[in-house]
Amino acid sequence: MAPFANLNKIPSTDYSHDPYTWEGETGWRAYRSARPFRGMYYDIKRRLPWYYSDIVDGFNYRTFAGTIRIFFVNLLPALAFQLDMTRNTDGFFGINEALFSSALAAVVFSTLSCQPLTVVGITGLISLFNYTIYDITVAQGISDLYPQFIAWVSIWAAITHWAAAIFNWCDYMRYITDFSSQSFGTYVGIIYIIKGVEELVAQFEEGIGNEGERREGGYFGILIALMYWFTVYMLEKYGSSSFSRSWIRKAIADYAYPIATIWWTGFSHIPGRIADTPQLRIPHTTAFYPTVDRSWLIPFWELPVKWVFVALPIGILLTLLFYYDHNVSSLTAQAKQFPLTKPAGFHWDFFLLGVTCFIAGIIGIPLPNGLVPQAPVHTDSCTVYEDKLKITKEKADDDVPEAEWEQHNRKIVEAVSVKEQRVSHWLMALALIGTMTGPLLDMLHTMPRSLFSGVFFVVGSGSVFSGGLPNNVYYLFTEKKFVDPGDPRLKIKKSRIALYISFQWFGVLSSVAISQTIAAIGFPVIIVSLIPLRWIIMPRIFTEEELLILDAPTAEAAVVLASMGGQPTRPEVAMAEAKRRAQNGDGEEGNASSSTGFSGNEGMRSRGGFKDNEEKEIESEEARREREEGGHSTLDTRHA
């Protein structure tokens, strides 16, 4: 018991000088791969003293509200993607597989992870990956070996996950900035919307009855999908409004998903014309059994050896996808707008993801992964916000110099604290296991499939329209006199902003395009290539000021970045400082940093003490603008 005697003591929260760093290392010690397990060791050492706090901090209202909200935000998209996989894999994956996968991830990550706020489950990308592999096996004439083949893909993926965690490769995720994370979020949102449309098309093609009845059911399904999306949107919008009392607004926003789900499921059963309209519903299945007639253990040892090695490169591609997707999910769940105090642990959590990959592969369920764009929803649900009054004075008429000043009151929302705990994740795991029981499976059977198109539209539109990419597009078409004078983008020509977002749109549209072909398993390469594009090429196209204004690290708090060796100096800053030193010609370094960009050997712990006046001024302007914008989307909690 001695090692756990001090778990109830709160450790230090100063991570600006964390011992996990590569700064000052020379020779072989400067290479991450040469010192295995170092990142995992410090992740556990950093987080273990908080384990007791993770439990006791969970007994509050925000935990309860967060549990309900994230359960629905996790469950509904998982079922929606499962319907997509069922349709495209000849029924191999079903409802129980979706529930089992989500429950497995929730149990493992709520109990053992260093980042219990990061929710892991079924994503649209693993759905796309699974049925693309199925199409490949069909084309190769081995569709009967699909379970064994995808099991080996998962086994290879698990091995490469473990290698990435052991050799400290998760450190490179500190180079993720809003340029790539916003592009990825937009891509995922578009994929969600496409899947929603495909599910509605299926209502017409796979519906019940003759052609006329299928058409009638299809149009009714469109109504339910769009009204579900509108209901969730309005309920959450109400939460950020100024109507009624604060506790009423927050309660309605907290339970927007269950309210909309129960209402529109019940609506589809109203006796009479509505109930008589043929509707596809969630298929019924036997509690705790696989969808098809098989055992839970896949006989992966029966796959011919040549196909075992064919599965290797596909497993590496899957690792590449999860390396980016899962870690970006963790970063957005711990993004800069959340006032977090407990440390992160990217290496250890990626090792755990390898464990779930291995287990999920050999029992034949979809591989769970960090959820984008739902990742920040859990943190947002556990965040305590305060509505504050902002008083401003404005002229009644700017064109009249003698016009009187008028006082205006408006609400701004500030994040005060986050209930950082693992209880809500535990409770969600229990709820998912409970959903696999007979009575609750019967309840799921009452839900119309078209409702899940609405889920796709809610999550997808939240991801597409709440990030910085659409905000920059909107800015380009905004009349200048109506732009906030404090907006730092006014310092940049609109043509330069257009060029910047064109790089983002190229990555987004290229990924969407390849995702609609048999080569869809290659889209992780495009997504990951956005990182070197941002760090190597773009600093040679854009100036330091332009990139400082248009881009920012997705996570910049020392408490998060300590797990990855600290925040590196952005290459545009290093290049500009080197240029200024060369122009001065005196050899003085001033505010320069020793880090030079996308390299594996530098180890800046934090940029806080090295920021020049230009960086600080731009960041203060951005922070002021974010505070004045007030509330933000609950599906993508990143500010513009």
Side-chain angles (χ1 to χ4, degrees), residues 570-639:
R570 288 192 250 177
E572 62 272 11
V573 174
M575 291 169 62
E577 290 175 348
K579 184 177 180 180
R580 285 192 287 268
R581 290 197 303 270
Q583 290 174 344
N584 291 337
D586 54 9
E588 294 181 1
E589 294 189 3
N591 291 327
S593 159
S594 61
S595 179
T596 57
F598 192 74
S599 167
N601 297 334
E602 83 286 0
M604 285 301 304
R605 298 188 180 108
S606 172
R607 277 287 300 161
F610 295 85
K611 294 177 181 175
D612 58 26
N613 292 332
E614 185 174 37
E615 287 181 84
K616 293 177 180 178
E617 179 184 353
I618 291 171
E619 289 181 357
S620 65
E621 289 177 350
E622 290 177 339
R624 179 197 61 78
R625 183 163 58 90
E626 289 177 357
R627 286 195 302 271
E628 291 185 353
E629 286 175 353
H632 45 75
S633 167
T634 55
L635 283 171
D636 189 344
T637 56
R638 289 168 290 170
H639 292 296

Side-chain angles (χ1 to χ4, degrees), residues 535-605:
W535 280 78
I536 298 175
I537 298 176
M538 295 191 67
R540 291 166 171 78
I541 299 175
F542 297 91
T543 67
E544 176 192 24
E545 181 182 44
E546 289 170 342
L547 289 178
L548 287 174
I549 290 173
L550 294 174
D551 196 18
T554 299
E556 59 184 8
V559 67
V560 177
L561 292 171
S563 175
M564 297 183 285
Q567 182 179 331
T569 302
R570 288 192 250 177
E572 62 272 11
V573 174
M575 291 169 62
E577 290 175 348
K579 184 177 180 180
R580 285 192 287 268
R581 290 197 303 270
Q583 290 174 344
N584 291 337
D586 54 9
E588 294 181 1
E589 294 189 3
N591 291 327
S593 159
S594 61
S595 179
T596 57
F598 192 74
S599 167
N601 297 334
E602 83 286 0
M604 285 301 304
R605 298 188 180 108

Side-chain angles (χ1 to χ4, degrees), residues 40 43 108-109 112-115 120 157-171 173 315-328 330 345-358 368-370 563:
M40 292 171 58
D43 283 349
V108 171
F109 278 84
L112 300 175
S113 77
C114 291
Q115 302 170 129
V120 181
I159 294 171
T160 46
H161 272 69
W162 294 331
I166 290 171
F167 293 111
N168 313 307
W169 296 341
C170 289
D171 278 358
M173 291 305 296
I316 294 174
L317 282 175
L318 184 58
T319 299
L320 199 62
L321 168 62
F322 280 11
Y323 177 83
Y324 190 93
D325 194 7
H326 180 81
N327 286 309
V328 166
S330 297
F346 290 87
H347 305 279
W348 172 249
D349 279 20
F350 202 66
F351 183 87
L352 284 183
L353 193 65
V355 173
T356 59
C357 283
F358 183 84
N369 181 35
S563 175

